[in-house]
Every structure is written in C-alpha cells, then in structure tokens.
Amino acid sequence: MTKQDYHMSPEQFREQGKKLIDWIADYYEQVENYPVLSQVSPGDIRKNLPANAPGQGESFDAMMRDVDQFILPGITHWQSPNFFAYFQSNTSGPSILGELLSAGLGVQGMLWATSPACTELESHVMDWLVDMMGLPQQFKTTNQGGGVIQDTASNALMTALLCAREMKTNFETNKLGGCPKIVAYVSSQTHSSVEKGIKIVGIGQRNLRVIDVDEHLAMIPEKMEQQIKKDLDEGYIPFFACATIGTTSSNAVDPVRAIGEICRRYDIWLHVDAAMSGSAAVCPEYRNYFDGLELAKSYAFNPHKWLFTNFDCDCFYVKDKAVLIKTLSILPEYLKNEATEKGAVIDYRDWHVQLGRRFRALKLWFVIRYYGVEGLQYHISEHIRLAQEFAGWVDQSPDFELLNQPPFNLVCFRHKSDDAFNKKLMDTLNKSGKLFLTHTVLNGQFWLRMSIGQTQTKRHHVENAWRLIQETAEMK
Ligand SMILES: *Cc1c(COP(=O)(O)O)cnc(C)c1O
C-alpha cells in the first residue's frame, strides 16, 4: 500500500499507544531500581543526539529505543519511592490517563463556547475541592468567588499581585501604566515566586518588605504591622501580603488569622500560598493550620505537588471573581459570542495571563473519582504519619538533631557535626543513587530536608533511607 500522507493512522496509533502504555506500566514496576538522581554530566544527553533533525520520518520503535538508551539515563526519577528531595511532584495512574485523554481530545478551552465541558468540569471540580478540603465557601464559583486551574503557583501568585495592584489603584494602573508607591509584605521564608512576580508586574523589588520570622520560622505579625505603619508614615501605600501554609524551605506555617486581621485593618490584599502543603487540608485533622483562610482574598495550592496529579495543575481561588475578570478581561471582536455577551458563562481566558488553555480538569477529576475523598485522606495522612515517625527516629538518635516537629510531611534535620560534614553526607547519599534528598540553609546552618510524599513510598522505603543515612554518616 502506498503512503497516503505522513500522518500516523488511527490503526498505527492504536498499536503504538498500547505499547507505550505497557512501557509506562513497566517503568512504574522498575522505577525503584534506577538511580534516583540522574548521574550524567552536562552535555551527556545532547552528544548522543544527531546534529540535525531527520529528513525522512522514522518509526515509533526507533524513537522508543532512543528513549531507553539516551533519555532514561538523563532522568531523575521523581516518581521513585526513594525520592525525598525538594518537594514531591507525584502522579498516579488516573492522572496519567486523564492527561492522555486531554491530549487526545485536544480541545482549546479559552472560552466556554470553545468547549463547554472544559470550562464546566473545571468549575465543578474546583467547587468540589472547596468542600473536600474545608476551604471557605466564598471561594466557590457558585458564590462570589471562584476557582481556576493555573499552570503553576508562581503564575497564580502573579495574578493575585495584579488584582491587588488594580484594586489599590482603582484599576488605573491597567489604563495609565506606571504605578504609585505601593508596597508588599512577605517573610524571609516566603517562596521566591513573590519576588519574581513583583518584578514582572512592575512593583519593583525595592517595594517588597521582608518581615522577620520567629523561632518556628513563621512570620511575626507585629513586625509586619510595625513596618506597615512606618511605610504609611513615609508615604507608601501597602497593597499586598503573602502568608504561607507550609514554606518550601522548612514547612513553616505563618499565622494566617493574625496576618489576615492586619490586612483587613489596612485594606491589604492577602494571598495565602499553600503550594506545597495545601493538600493536607483534605484531612480534617490538619485543618487547624488553615485557620483564618476566610480572611484571604486569594489562595493557591498545587495538586501537582502532593495530590497524585501530574504537573501542571495549580488550584487558584479568589474571593471575588469580578475583580479578577475586571483586571484581566479584554474582548477582541473575533472572540465575541452570545454566551459571553449574556454573562451566562465563565470564560477562563479572563482568569489568567495566557489566552489558550488545555483541558486540565480531566486529570484532577479522574484522580478525585478514582481515589475518592477517603483514598486521598488515607494516603496524605499516611505520608504525614511516616514523616512524623522519621522525625521521631532522628530525635532519638544521639548523632542527629531535628529542626522542629514538622507540621506536615517535610522533616528538616542534620548530623550534629558541622555544615561541611552534612553536605558531604548528602552528596555521598545522592551519588549512591539509592535515595535523593536536598538541603536548605536556616539561620545560617546547613539542614538536610526529607520530603516524604511520593505515590509509591511505603514505610520500608523511609526505614531504609534512615538506615542508609546513619550508615553513611558512620563511614565518614
Ligand atoms: C513550589 C512552591 C511554589 C512554586 O510552585 P510552582 O507551581 O512551581 O510555581 C510557590 N510557593 C511554595 C510555598 C512552593 O512550595
């Protein structure tokens, strides 16, 4: 048969697709046996690839051979049960299948009208999460607020900054450009995405106030209020504050309620960032850490970190969707349509920076339905339980010390000798390929971080890691 054109036919897709699913299933069966941290050097991957793109198309089998031979060695296995570095970025079968289905449907969901299910499923799942996690009802799409899936917590935060800027300047900055002397408040432990957002939305780094933290590395609200008063005296206009539930460095929890009360008094937009630890709210027993969230004007957490949903998937909520839409809405002629005109629908392109959007809600919907609330609660609380157990082992060890009792699933600890020893310990462990963990610096000291939350991580992986850490420390 002569080739009609260059496309992959549905028959070929069916055949190769089944093989690829098998490949992924095999990968999950094997992932524990790979060195967790990729052991390649810079340039190692590219030097094996042909200098030019192929003139003639190649077989799918040839591509997969190259994946095995040239790509896999350059993979750091985030899905390994022995991955304890940074923060988890876990995924799961239902999520992967949802992602595949989204690619298969290939819809563009910029407006309700461009694929109604893409919008309505998203609003619905976001409202489900409000109830599942005990979030304030004000965040529901059916109320004044609403939720949207963004790519990342960084972009959610930048969107919140834009809304706050426009609220404070009567939507004039959008019209006139420039921006008066507005200032924002974070702690020294706030994620760097706030500083990045401040640069992007034109506030300027020098208008970011970094507030001191207490011995638990949580922001000190009184210091924030002192700084606000000083700024007001000097003619600055406070407009934005970010509180974090579970900082990336050490899992610290800012006192959201106290910060929120101050924000209310001074008419400051409070954004609460729970990108890394927000999934804990699915378990009622951890909701005390979220106390005061109803004072937030916006909130974000990442199912793509700790809710078995593959990257990218950030859940961003606002208290008042009208502000968000007023800040970002533009309606060119070619996008005009009756549903939008009547105001009967949500057009998510007004809820973030980009116009186009894919059908991300599918994978989240699959995850929630497959696990059920009960399944998600079980696994999240199990991760936290394992982290507490690990913290207990560290605490009882004569050679190691614990930073503090972790609220969620990140344990910061160190060997009682010096920084250089701890760094060498970490490097040796990571080079072994048997596990992967990273570090942070707190109060000028080097601390190891053990983040426990991979989909397949079980107690014996954590036990094994602790044994390896102790053995490696003794060898020095
Ligand atoms: C990881 C993290 C972010 C950034 O997340 P992205 O989705 O990658 O932008 C922001 N804040 C906190 C607290 C985080 O842990």
Side-chain angles (χ1 to χ4, degrees):
M1 207 180 82
T2 56
K3 206 172 187 176
Q4 296 293 311
D5 58 29
Y6 294 88
H7 296 307
M8 183 183 267
S9 68
E11 284 78 358
Q12 288 164 333
F13 178 79
R14 198 186 312 277
E15 187 192 327
Q16 297 302 340
K18 286 178 179 169
K19 280 200 249 170
L20 183 59
I21 295 285
D22 277 343
W23 188 99
I24 297 172
D26 290 345
Y27 175 72
Y28 277 93
E29 282 174 353
Q30 292 298 320
V31 64
E32 200 168 329
N33 303 325
Y34 294 112
V36 189
L37 174 65
S38 170
Q39 309 283 319
V40 301
S41 304
D44 277 359
I45 306 302
R46 287 198 70 174
K47 78 173 183 236
N48 286 317
L49 303 175
N52 297 303
Q56 258 103 51
E58 299 181 67
S59 75
F60 206 76
D61 289 334
M63 295 175 212
M64 287 310 291
R65 272 197 301 278
D66 287 355
V67 167
D68 284 332
Q69 200 176 344
F70 302 131
I71 302 300
L72 265 188
I75 295 293
T76 287
H77 298 280
W78 283 73
Q79 302 312 318
S80 167
N82 298 313
F83 184 100
F84 303 108
Y86 311 108
F87 37 78
Q88 52 288 327
S89 185
N90 60 25
T91 184
S92 63
S95 173
I96 298 166
L97 294 173
E99 185 80 44
L100 183 61
L101 182 57
S102 167
L105 292 172
V107 303
Q108 235 292 6
M110 56 196 176
L111 305 176
W112 178 87
T114 60
S115 214
C118 181
T119 294
E120 292 196 16
L121 183 66
E122 184 161 328
S123 305
H124 204 72
V125 168
M126 293 297 285
D127 282 358
W128 268 5
L129 283 165
V130 170
D131 289 333
M132 281 170 62
M133 310 188 102
L135 304 178
Q137 291 290 315
Q138 67 202 27
F139 289 146
K140 274 197 179 166
T141 324
T142 47
N143 293 335
Q144 211 184 344
V148 58
I149 301 179
Q150 294 220 358
D151 52 1
T152 59
S154 304
N155 267 340
L157 198 133
M158 188 183 71
T159 311
L161 274 168
L162 274 173
C163 292
R165 186 194 73 186
E166 289 311 298
M167 277 290 273
K168 194 45 100 180
T169 63
N170 290 319
F171 297 87
E172 293 273 293
T173 310
N174 263 348
K175 289 201 198 86
L176 307 172
C179 157
K181 287 167 70 177
I182 58 178
V183 286
Y185 303 84
V186 296
S187 89
S188 58
Q189 301 297 308
T190 305
H191 192 266
S192 56
S193 53
V194 182
E195 190 176 343
K196 198 174 191 179
I198 286 281
K199 293 204 276 185
I200 297 170
V201 308
I203 308 296
Q205 275 160 303
R206 66 175 179 174
N207 296 316
L208 182 65
R209 304 286 186 257
V210 180
I211 308 301
D212 285 344
V213 293
D214 63 17
E215 72 276 18
H216 303 295
L217 301 160
M219 193 200 276
I220 305 172
E222 296 75 25
K223 296 248 174 174
M224 179 171 119
E225 186 161 20
Q226 279 166 18
Q227 181 66 44
I228 290 170
K229 285 183 177 151
K230 182 163 177 280
D231 284 328
L232 286 168
D233 283 348
E234 290 170 10
Y236 289 99
I237 307 164
F239 86 109
F240 179 89
C242 178
T244 308
I245 300 174
T247 59
T248 320
S249 181
S250 73
N251 227 193
V253 179
D254 288 333
V256 174
R257 180 168 298 284
I259 295 170
E261 298 289 0
I262 296 170
C263 287
R264 184 154 65 182
R265 259 199 314 280
Y266 293 90
D267 191 21
I268 292 170
W269 182 291
L270 173 64
H271 176 76
V272 175
D273 177 5
M276 189 172 82
S277 305
S279 298
V282 84
C283 305
E285 65 269 34
Y286 298 109
R287 290 195 190 143
N288 55 319
Y289 292 110
F290 296 76
D291 177 55
L293 194 52
E294 74 278 6
L295 297 167
K297 291 272 201 299
S298 55
Y299 173 67
F301 82 101
N302 285 353
H304 73 223
K305 275 180 169 160
W306 192 23
L307 208 64
F308 314 106
T309 306
N310 64 286
F311 193 89
D312 47 357
C313 185
D314 165 86
C315 291
F316 177 56
Y317 289 97
V318 287
K319 188 173 184 171
D320 184 355
K321 56 181 167 289
V323 173
L324 176 57
I325 294 166
K326 194 168 174 196
T327 299
L328 292 177
S329 172
I330 290 168
L331 190 58
E333 191 54 40
Y334 67 91
L335 291 180
K336 288 191 176 155
N337 67 85
E338 206 184 323
T340 299
E341 228 95 295
K342 283 195 183 140
V345 298
I346 284 180
D347 289 325
Y348 273 130
R349 52 127 215 211
D350 293 333
W351 292 53
H352 46 46
V353 172
Q354 84 271 14
L355 170 64
R357 63 198 326 271
R358 50 204 196 81
F359 200 168
R360 288 196 194 94
L362 267 179
K363 60 185 174 188
L364 193 51
W365 190 47
F366 277 16
V367 166
I368 296 170
R369 291 187 64 185
Y370 189 88
Y371 284 87
V373 176
E374 178 187 289
L376 294 172
Q377 287 174 339
Y378 171 78
H379 287 289
I380 295 291
S381 63
E382 185 62 10
H383 289 156
I384 299 176
R385 197 189 62 73
L386 288 174
Q388 310 290 336
E389 203 175 359
F390 182 89
W393 298 334
V394 171
D395 208 23
Q396 279 159 29
S397 150
D399 302 327
F400 287 84
E401 60 183 318
L402 191 63
L403 175 75
N404 54 26
Q405 207 51 47
F408 306 114
N409 63 332
L410 171 70
V411 186
C412 295
F413 68 107
R414 54 181 271 126
H415 192 273
K416 283 178 180 163
S417 59
D418 59 6
D419 282 5
F421 182 91
N422 278 285
K423 174 151 194 335
K424 201 159 164 224
L425 174 61
M426 179 181 80
D427 290 344
T428 311
L429 284 162
N430 291 344
K431 263 203 204 97
S432 80
K434 290 179 183 153
L435 61 88
F436 180 27
L437 77 175
T438 49
H439 79 281
T440 187
V441 172
L442 299 165
N443 301 324
Q445 253 187 344
F446 189 97
W447 290 84
L448 300 168
R449 292 167 77 264
M450 180 90 178
S451 174
I452 300 172
Q454 262 315 316
T455 307
Q456 308 204 52
T457 300
K458 300 244 161 41
R459 188 173 187 273
H460 71 267
H461 298 107
V462 180
E463 260 180 329
N464 203 31
W466 177 230
R467 194 175 43 74
L468 279 168
I469 292 165
Q470 288 173 295
E471 282 173 9
T472 310
E474 274 159 28
M475 269 161 23
K476 310 241 127 207

